[in-house]
Amino acid sequence: MSAPAPASARYRKGLAVRRSVLGDAHVDRAEAAASDFDRPFQQLITEAAWGTVWSRPAWSKRERSMVTLALLAALGHDEEVAMHVRATANTGATREDICEAFLHVAIYAGVPAANRAIKIAKQVFAEMDASKSNGQ
């Protein structure tokens, strides 16, 4: 595959937003794991999702976080739900916000989708709480 293109301004902005939401450790792992095969995908999501959508000024990161969680839960994207629940530590979305988002999922996308998302969130919260109590 060809060498990656130089980083655009949108990519640089997206990378900064991605790091602010998901954390440096997550983004560093994703970049280190990228291969020639999926590097174009990493560039696409950094530019489109983070450099365009998440960078828009109309909504706060908290608001985007809640909407993202509701959509991911409704679509059954469990790994992404877990990742974005962890990201709420950086976006300002509270556990109450997440609960409210998942209540909307129950009504508009179905109880099983919300039930699964709530189960995932509870697991992530337990991990986050254990990490805090261990001083990490």
Side-chain angles (χ1 to χ4, degrees), residues 1-5 35-40 43:
M1 301 206 146
S2 63
S35 67
D36 286 345
F37 177 74
D38 67 336
R39 196 166 286 110
Q43 181 176 350

Side-chain angles (χ1 to χ4, degrees), residues 7-127:
S8 67
R10 186 169 59 149
Y11 179 88
R12 291 189 301 276
K13 182 176 187 177
L15 189 59
V17 172
R18 188 177 182 191
R19 286 183 178 283
S20 75
V21 172
L22 300 179
D24 288 331
H26 175 86
V27 175
D28 290 345
R29 280 191 306 273
E31 288 187 337
S35 67
D36 286 345
F37 177 74
D38 67 336
R39 196 166 286 110
F41 174 75
Q42 291 295 320
Q43 181 176 350
L44 172 70
I45 62 173
T46 300
E47 289 181 345
W50 301 104
T52 299
V53 175
W54 274 81
S55 296
R56 293 176 58 82
W59 281 359
S60 67
K61 287 179 185 168
R62 175 184 163 267
E63 292 165 320
R64 290 190 190 285
S65 193
M66 290 183 298
V67 169
T68 299
L69 280 166
L71 289 166
L72 292 170
L75 294 169
H77 296 300
D78 298 351
E79 288 182 20
E80 295 280 324
V81 168
M83 179 180 72
H84 279 276
V85 167
R86 283 189 291 276
T88 61
N90 300 323
T91 66
T94 65
R95 292 179 184 196
E96 183 179 3
D97 291 333
I98 296 168
C99 178
E100 292 296 328
F102 291 161
L103 289 173
H104 266 65
V105 170
I107 297 304
Y108 292 100
V111 170
N115 189 42
R116 185 178 59 252
I118 288 167
K119 179 180 177 182
I120 292 166
K122 286 171 65 175
Q123 289 173 319
V124 172
F125 293 151
E127 293 166 8

